[in-house]
Amino acid sequence: MVVPGQEGVDPQANHLLARLTELLSRWQPLWRPLPFQYRCLPWHDDFAALGETLLGLSEQDVVRLQANPFHASPLAEWLPVAELEALVDLPILSPPVASLPREWGQHVGGRKWSQIEAFVEQLRIKPGESLVEWCAGKGHLARTLARRHAVDVTALEWQGALCDEGRQLAQRQGVAVDMRQQDVMASQLEQALSSQTHIAALHACGDLHVRLLQLAAETGSSVTLAPCCYQRTRDEVYRPLSRRAKALIEAHDLLLSREDLAMSVQETVTAPGGVQRSRERANAWRLGFDEWQRQVRGIDAYLPVPSLAYGRMPDNFADFCRWAAQQKGLSHATDVDWASFEAAGWRRQCRVKRLELVRHLFRRPLEVWLALDRMTLLTESGFDAELGIFCDRELTPRNLLLRASHSSGQAGA
C-alpha cells in the first residue's frame, strides 16, 4: 500500500523527516517561546526543575552548550537529547582533494573562499550539462566552477552593479563566465532551464532557493545547493514543499512561523571577542529598555525595537533608551534612574542566555527537517538525491548540501 505523500521518498530520509516532525511537534511548547520576550516563560510551571537547572549553570557551561548543545547536556533528564543528536548526524560528503590555487580566491574573503573551495568539489556534472550559478553576486563561485571543472558558466544575478563587477573580474582573470542580470523570481525563467542544466547555489536565501528547487522539479535540472535563511520568505506560515512533509505536519499539528524558521539559522561561528562583547551589551541594553517600557506603558509585554548595527549603537545605555523610546513614540522623564534599568537588563540577559539553551537543542533538528523537505520535493519528482555535510561547522554552520539529478534525465511529473 502506498501512503499519500510517500511516493518516491528515500526510506531513510522518510524516517528522519517523520521522526523529526514528531519531536518538533511534541516539544514545541518549550522551543517556540523566545526567552527574551518573557519575564517568565510559558513553560516555567510545567518544567520548573528544568528552568532551575538551566539558571544554575555556570558561564563556562553556558558557553560550552552554546557551541555544542548535545554534548553532556543537563537537558537530557527532560528532553530527547541523544535521539535528536542521532537524527541530525548526517553523512559527511567527500572532502576536497587539495586546495585550489590561491590566486583563484583573489577579491574573495578568506572564510567565503574556503566555503567555495569545499562547495565546488561537491558538484557531479554530467557530460553535456551546462552550468548555472543561482543568485551569483559578483560571480566568485561561478569563476571558480569554470576553472575547477573546465566548463562555461552562466551566472544569474539581479543587481546590475554586481553583474558589472563580476564581468570585470571574469575578464581580468580570463575566465569564461557569462554574467546575466536576471530576477530569478521572474516568470518564464524555466524556458532557460532543461534536463541538461545543472544549477549551483551556495547559500541562496529563502524563497530564492525555493524557486530554484521548484524550477528544477519542473525542468529536470540537476541541483547542487547549500540552502540558507529559510525565514526570508513571503509566507508568514511555512508551506512545506513536499507532499510528504505537508502530510506530516498536518498529522502532527506542527505550524512553523517565519520567526520559528529563523531559529534554524541562528547558530553562528564564534565571533571575535570584541564583537561578542558588543553583542552581549546590545542584548542587555534591549532587555533593560524592555524593563523600562513595561513600567512606562503599564503593559507587561515585550515591545520590539528596530535593529541597530553595532557600529551605530549609542555610547551609553541612557542614550540607547532615548533612541528606542523615540522609535516607539514613548515619552520619558528627565530623572529616570537609567543605571537601575541597565542593571536589570544585564540580569535578564544572564537568564535569557541560559533559557535559550532549550531552543539551541532544537535548532539543528529544525534546519535538517527543512532541508529534508527540500530533498523530498525532488525525490517525489523523480530525482536521485542526497543530503549531507560539505564542510566543518567552524567554517560555516550552514554546512548542509543537497545534491540531486533526475534519474531519467527528464522533468518530473
Side-chain angles (χ1 to χ4, degrees), residues 72-86:
S73 172
L75 283 68
E77 184 176 345
W78 297 273
L79 298 169
V81 175
E83 184 177 9
L84 288 171
E85 182 177 25

Side-chain angles (χ1 to χ4, degrees), residues 192-214:
L193 305 175
S194 72
S195 59
Q196 294 302 303
T197 307
H198 192 127
I199 312 173
L202 174 57
H203 295 154
C205 292
D207 283 345
L208 297 175
H209 76 244
V210 170
R211 171 72 166 156
L212 180 162
L213 293 168
Q214 291 170 337

